[in-house]
Amino acid sequence: MMFTLHRFHGGLHLDAHKEDSSLAPLATAPVPPRLIFPLQQRGGQNAEAVVQVGDHVRKGQVIARGDGPMNPPIHASSSGIVSAIEPRPLPHPSGLADLAIVIDTDGEDLAPAPEERRDYRQLAPDELRRIIFEAGIVGLGGAAFSTAVKTDPGHRAIDTLILNGAECEPYITCDDSLLRNFPQEVLEGARILMRVVGVERCLLGIEDDMPEAIRALREVQQTGHYAGIDIITVPAIYPSGGEKQLIRILTGREVPTRGIPADAGVICQNVGTAAAVFRAVARGEPLIERIVTVTGKGIKHPGNWLTRIGTPIADLVRYSGGYTGTAERLILGGPMMGISLPSDALPLVKAANCVLVTGRSETTGPKQALPCIRCGACADACPINLLPQQLYWYSRADNLQRAEEYHLADCIECGCCDYVCPSHIPLVQYFRAAKSELVAKQRERFKADHARERFEARQARKEREKQERAEAAQRKKAALAKPDASEIQDAIARAKARKRPPESAPTADAAPDESPPAREPAEN
Amino acid sequence: MRFNTAPAPHLAPTASTRRIMQWVLVAMAPGIAAQLWQFGPGVLINLALAIATALLTESAMLRLRAQPSRAGLSDWSAVLTAALLAVSLPPIAPWWISVFGALFAIVIGKQLYGGLGYNPFNPAMVGYAVLLISFPKPMTAWLPPTDLAATPLGLLDAWSAIAHRAGPAGSSFDALAMATPLDTLKTQLGLGRTMDEVQSGPLFGALAGKGWQWVNLGYLAGGLWLLRRGLIAWQIPAGFLAALGGLSLGFYLLEPQTYPTPLFHLFAGATMLGAFFIATDPVTASTTPKGRLIYGALIGGLVFVIRSWGGYPDGVAFAVLLLNLAAPTIDHYTRPRVYGHPG
């Protein structure tokens, strides 16, 4: 079958380094002595512990709940005793601490009796979404966005589900490993997601440097239950696994600026998420494990591990034979966008796809940044078609308005510009700083506008009340003074004239016409 | 275990500014070799004088500006500026021409604006323009190409010409020098000669001027290599050569007795050096893809205008400097469409 692929601007051909970890077969990581579950699994939103210190928990039991659909529950990934609920460092470069549930495992791995198998075809999309939410499923591609929320098309018309198997970051092979070992779970998950989203078409994008995964998927697809699902190989160009890029490659559509994929008629899910959805819906299993790649020249035996969420990185490194003598930098995620961590005592959260420990030869030393020579290599590489050299100029000059005009907000922080810059300027850092400043400014502006509107509305109301009081007093006075008939007539006429436009007369707490209408709270 | 943290991306960079400057210098080699072969070793002396002056000047300026001078010198940009200026100079220009040009290029053209990356004008062309305006006579006195010269100059002869303005074995210095083909063309046409008469002169070769055509072929080869390596954007040389070639073809077809062939324009003077090495200076050129094409085309067009109707025989330096002025505006109006934005 012919399928037309579309190109996105820029991108990079990077050395993949995938064979380091993909040659070893997938292994199951043992239950570590201690599991750690940060209550903050995704930036900014905290779940609340529903267990107490001393409680015995079973595998799969809910231990923390969030406050809304964006914040799915967290489950214990093995059985044991809750030994602490206390601040622990987060997997974040700052090493900042936040509340975490610590479970000392008992090695029994006790689980409740398995739920009955359910036929998802009997279940309505809303019910499926509830199951997905209750199973604690978030996007496993890295952003950890609530899958229940993301699969809800709302009022938007969706015609395509995209499954993202384009693992474009070098070194990472967890999706490759998943597709090779569990192709059926992924395709079954795709069918469930198609039903949840309400579409007949699913495009599974996979990079052409994963031949075994492609073969495994096609073999399962041969069985014939997968109508509407197309497996499409895409060229291995970084960042073709970026959501916006993959949507463009597979459909030719673009996610509008400030929009979401659903605005382009598409919902995009990682292949790992699809497998998790299948397990949750068909087997009643919550999200308590995922495949994590452990690789890099700093690791003795690179490979992929089926790992329990909450496993400390140090344990997973130990299972991989430990560090080599050249281990230099610990990175969570890939080398282009991953975050560098200060310590391996940190636990793996749901979004953790790769532990990369670079050797001395692989990583950059402290680079001396030279002045920008406007060579434009960054603009050639940018997958969004931005002009990073201009954005850099404006970001440095604190000219946020210009940076905004040049669409700073559209930067996806993929690192392409940074990587190709011959002057070794840390462009992404500049853009990230300028972006957060821009967001802060916008929030301030919004707050100021809001405060001003409220103040003006209040002033207008006071003014009106004063006037009404004065008029009431006048009417009273007029009524008290014994007026003759003509004066009474006049007063009635005056009162009528004043009352004439009753539709436009403002009620006590609505803003008067001349002041701007109170604004709806912004969606974001 | 504890680790030091660093921001992404974590991969070692593959490119460096210094490496780019060095590769551009390497790419100049075929052109310089052709100059050496056709016009004698004077070009080497000019190069040595200009590079030494530029490095000393750059170092002194960085010290005055309290900038780290080792980092500033190690980027090789001063060397490249000096080299571009030196190969544009007549091979027997007096020594102070190279020295003054390089000094002016680095001080006024580059460091007073803030150094590498901040200069709005191509420093080498700033130096060249100042020399051409201030010292027109030594700046237009070129040597005849090797096969026309009665006695080809050796290294010592070239040195004595450059250092003391003396010809070999007591012959007069002025007898050495000669006008360039572009210059001759302009003067002769001004005297009312036809193109056929002018081009039958000894200075003219198969493509363009004798000697000059080889030099242009040399820089073309180096330029194509730069393109292949992705060190320069194709749009600038393509725009430059297309505009110059197109305009000259049009006028040549209209009046072949007044206008030289497009081939002559493409292989005369500083055409190839300008198209691949000077107009492509990233700092001062346009940086958007469409902008680069426009920028290159406008330079090529202006070169034709200056050569045909202007007061100077060539026009690359002035065309580049004038378009440097326009680069920010061109960039502003040629921003590419950003992903997710309407076209």
Side-chain angles (χ1 to χ4, degrees):
Chain A
M1 189 200 76
M2 279 300 292
F3 188 89
T4 317
L5 293 179
H6 302 264
R7 252 197 72 72
F8 63 90
H9 180 267
L12 299 174
H13 292 278
L14 297 170
D15 285 343
H17 295 280
K18 304 247 187 195
E19 63 294 340
D20 300 359
S21 55
S22 65
L23 289 180
L26 176 66
T28 304
V31 180
R34 181 166 286 180
L35 292 161
I36 305 168
F37 300 89
L39 293 177
Q40 185 181 325
Q41 291 272 321
R42 184 167 181 268
Q45 294 160 326
N46 263 19
E48 224 166 281
V50 295
V51 289
Q52 284 174 344
V53 176
D55 284 0
H56 182 267
V57 294
R58 283 169 175 252
K59 177 178 167 183
Q61 180 181 334
V62 172
I63 54 171
R65 279 195 177 276
D67 55 0
M70 291 295 284
N71 208 348
I74 302 170
H75 303 74
S77 54
S78 187
S79 61
I81 305 282
V82 177
S83 63
I85 301 176
E86 60 185 22
R88 291 283 177 124
L90 291 178
H92 185 267
S94 68
L96 281 177
D98 201 29
L99 274 186
I101 299 174
V102 183
I103 295 174
D104 288 349
T105 55
D106 56 16
E108 309 279 329
D109 215 20
L110 287 173
E115 283 184 46
E116 264 183 61
R117 283 170 169 253
R118 282 173 287 189
D119 183 0
Y120 76 88
R121 280 162 297 188
Q122 311 290 322
L123 300 173
D126 277 344
E127 176 62 8
L128 289 167
R129 266 196 294 275
R130 194 192 61 77
I131 295 170
I132 289 169
F133 176 81
E134 280 301 321
I137 298 177
V138 297
L140 297 185
F145 195 88
S146 166
T147 303
V149 173
K150 207 179 170 187
T151 50
D152 187 353
H155 62 277
R156 295 173 169 94
I158 308 294
D159 59 15
T160 305
L161 170 73
I162 287 181
L163 282 201
N164 190 343
E167 203 163 28
C168 60
E169 277 249 23
Y171 292 95
I172 307 181
T173 55
C174 64
D175 288 349
D176 184 22
S177 178
L178 172 89
L179 292 168
R180 283 153 69 161
N181 291 285
F182 306 102
Q184 190 162 9
E185 298 194 0
V186 173
L187 290 179
E188 290 293 335
R191 287 173 69 189
I192 299 172
L193 284 169
M194 284 163 77
R195 180 168 168 79
V196 174
V197 175
V199 292
E200 303 292 315
R201 181 165 90 133
C202 171
L203 305 175
L204 194 159
I206 181 168
E207 284 199 325
D208 56 13
D209 61 354
M210 293 153 72
E212 295 208 22
I214 296 168
R215 201 178 309 133
L217 278 171
R218 292 215 194 282
E219 258 169 41
V220 174
Q221 200 192 21
Q222 297 298 309
T223 60
H225 297 303
Y226 303 104
I229 303 178
D230 278 327
I231 296 157
I232 294 152
T233 56
V234 302
I237 299 170
Y238 178 83
S240 54
E243 192 171 71
K244 289 179 166 185
Q245 283 64 47
L246 190 62
I247 289 169
R248 164 120 186 104
I249 294 171
L250 293 178
T251 66
R253 302 178 202 163
E254 291 186 0
V255 180
T257 177
R258 282 158 221 261
I260 57 171
D263 294 320
V266 173
I267 280 176
C268 199
Q269 293 289 342
N270 174 266
V271 287
T273 315
V277 164
F278 166 73
R279 289 182 195 191
V281 172
R283 298 192 191 146
E285 292 174 8
L287 178 64
I288 55 168
E289 58 181 12
R290 64 160 298 147
I291 300 177
V292 180
T293 303
V294 185
T295 185
K297 295 272 179 284
I299 292 288
K300 281 214 178 109
H301 304 299
N304 285 291
W305 294 89
L306 195 55
T307 311
R308 283 155 211 271
I309 312 286
T311 302
I313 292 171
D315 288 311
L316 201 51
V317 169
R318 196 156 43 82
Y319 307 146
S320 306
Y323 298 109
T324 63
T326 64
E328 182 155 283
R329 198 178 291 180
L330 173 65
I331 297 157
L332 190 61
M336 292 302 283
M337 292 184 79
I339 54 173
S340 134
L341 298 178
S343 157
D344 62 5
L346 300 161
L348 292 162
V349 291
K350 293 175 183 177
N353 51 3
C354 177
V355 172
L356 169 62
V357 183
T358 57
R360 228 158 279 146
S361 57
E362 292 169 293
T363 322
T364 59
K367 304 181 287 188
Q368 159 107 49
L370 290 171
C372 168
I373 54 168
R374 300 169 57 75
C375 64
C378 50
D380 292 341
C382 179
I384 299 293
N385 217 356
L386 297 168
L387 296 172
Q389 75 273 24
Q390 302 296 108
L391 290 173
Y392 166 66
W393 191 261
Y394 298 133
S395 303
R396 260 186 62 139
D398 253 332
N399 193 341
L400 287 179
Q401 198 196 329
R402 270 311 187 111
E404 209 177 350
E405 270 174 45
Y406 277 74
H407 307 304
L408 173 69
D410 289 283
C411 167
I412 57 170
E413 301 177 22
C414 65
C416 285
C417 55
D418 210 316
Y419 175 70
V420 299
C421 177
S423 297
H424 305 162
I425 299 167
L427 291 165
V428 175
Q429 280 193 82
Y430 276 103
F431 300 158
R432 212 176 279 150
K435 272 164 85 175
S436 52
E437 216 169 309
L438 207 60
V439 169
K441 280 243 166 76
Q442 279 163 347
R443 197 173 297 150
E444 235 167 76
R445 201 185 309 153
F446 173 73
K447 264 162 86 178
D449 283 355
H450 201 65
R452 183 176 48 75
E453 281 164 18
R454 270 190 8 217
F455 174 75
E456 283 172 359
R458 184 163 161 271
Q459 287 296 98
R461 195 185 69 226
K462 277 181 146 180
E463 190 64 29
R464 197 176 58 240
E465 281 169 2
K466 205 168 123 193
Q467 216 180 337
E468 279 168 2
R469 269 199 304 277
E471 283 169 8
Q474 213 177 8
R475 275 200 300 277
K476 216 171 162 186
K477 218 164 107 189
L480 281 177
K482 290 192 175 120
D484 61 30
S486 72
E487 276 181 315
I488 291 172
Q489 289 304 315
D490 280 359
I492 290 169
R494 269 205 308 278
K496 271 187 180 161
R498 222 178 284 127
K499 278 188 178 166
R500 188 164 300 139
E503 301 92 342
S504 69
T507 54
D509 46 13
D513 285 350
E514 61 268 28
S515 75
R519 206 189 280 174
E520 289 283 309
E523 274 180 42
N524 300 314
Chain B
M1 194 163 145
R2 306 290 306 172
F3 292 89
N4 289 325
T5 58
H10 305 284
L11 294 174
T14 51
S16 77
T17 303
R18 170 166 45 169
R19 198 46 62 78
I20 292 177
M21 302 283 174
Q22 288 169 344
W23 283 130
V24 176
L25 281 161
V26 169
M28 288 174 72
I32 293 174
Q35 269 178 288
L36 194 62
W37 169 42
Q38 287 298 319
F39 297 104
V43 64
L44 291 184
I45 298 171
N46 284 346
L47 275 168
L49 284 170
I51 290 172
T53 310
L55 284 174
L56 285 173
T57 313
E58 178 103 335
S59 158
M61 286 302 289
L62 287 171
R63 199 157 305 168
L64 277 175
R65 293 180 51 226
Q67 299 285 313
S69 68
R70 186 190 279 180
L73 287 176
S74 67
D75 64 31
W76 284 67
S77 63
V79 177
L80 182 56
T81 296
L84 289 172
L85 174 70
V87 298
S88 313
L89 301 176
I92 47 161
W95 63 271
W96 47 265
I97 286 274
S98 306
V99 170
F100 180 72
L103 189 93
F104 199 89
I106 297 294
V107 176
I108 311 284
K110 183 177 173 190
Q111 289 293 337
L112 288 190
Y113 284 106
L116 177 67
Y118 296 95
N119 48 302
F121 299 104
N122 185 319
M125 291 303 100
V126 169
Y128 182 85
V130 162
L131 293 173
L132 186 61
I133 296 168
S134 315
F135 314 107
K137 201 163 169 236
M139 282 297 283
T140 46
W142 276 73
L143 284 174
T146 315
D147 47 349
L148 290 185
T151 43
L153 292 189
L155 189 62
L156 279 176
D157 298 328
W159 172 247
S160 73
I162 289 171
H164 331 103
R165 293 180 75 67
S171 69
S172 94
F173 173 81
D174 287 334
L176 285 177
M178 198 168 194
T180 66
L182 274 169
D183 214 353
T184 310
L185 193 77
K186 187 155 224 153
T187 328
Q188 298 284 313
L189 286 174
L191 294 173
R193 304 263 170 89
T194 66
M195 192 58 70
D196 289 339
E197 289 167 354
V198 177
Q199 291 200 331
S200 60
L203 272 177
F204 295 87
L207 289 173
K210 275 201 183 115
W212 291 90
Q213 53 198 13
W214 289 111
V215 173
N216 273 282
L217 283 170
Y219 286 116
L220 173 63
L224 291 176
W225 182 75
L226 282 181
L227 272 184
R228 229 184 100 88
R229 293 210 48 136
L231 289 167
I232 55 172
W234 63 270
Q235 289 95 335
I236 293 178
F240 186 126
L241 298 177
L244 178 61
L247 275 174
S248 53
L249 176 67
F251 280 91
Y252 170 74
L253 290 178
L254 282 176
E255 286 184 60
Q257 287 307 314
T258 321
Y259 296 97
T261 63
L263 271 183
F264 178 85
H265 271 292
L266 290 176
F267 292 93
T271 301
M272 292 300 171
L273 179 69
F276 289 96
F277 292 86
I278 293 171
T280 51
D281 166 37
V283 176
T284 56
S286 182
T287 66
T288 64
K290 217 186 295 170
R292 283 168 169 162
L293 206 56
I294 296 170
Y295 174 84
L298 288 175
I299 293 179
L302 208 48
V303 166
F304 179 77
V305 169
I306 296 173
R307 280 182 184 175
S308 304
W309 306 296
Y312 291 90
D314 205 343
V316 172
F318 293 120
V320 167
L321 290 172
L322 285 169
L323 263 297
N324 285 167
L325 277 171
T329 310
I330 295 173
D331 278 356
H332 184 81
Y333 288 104
T334 53
R335 281 178 279 171
R337 185 188 71 86
V338 171
Y339 180 108
H341 288 263

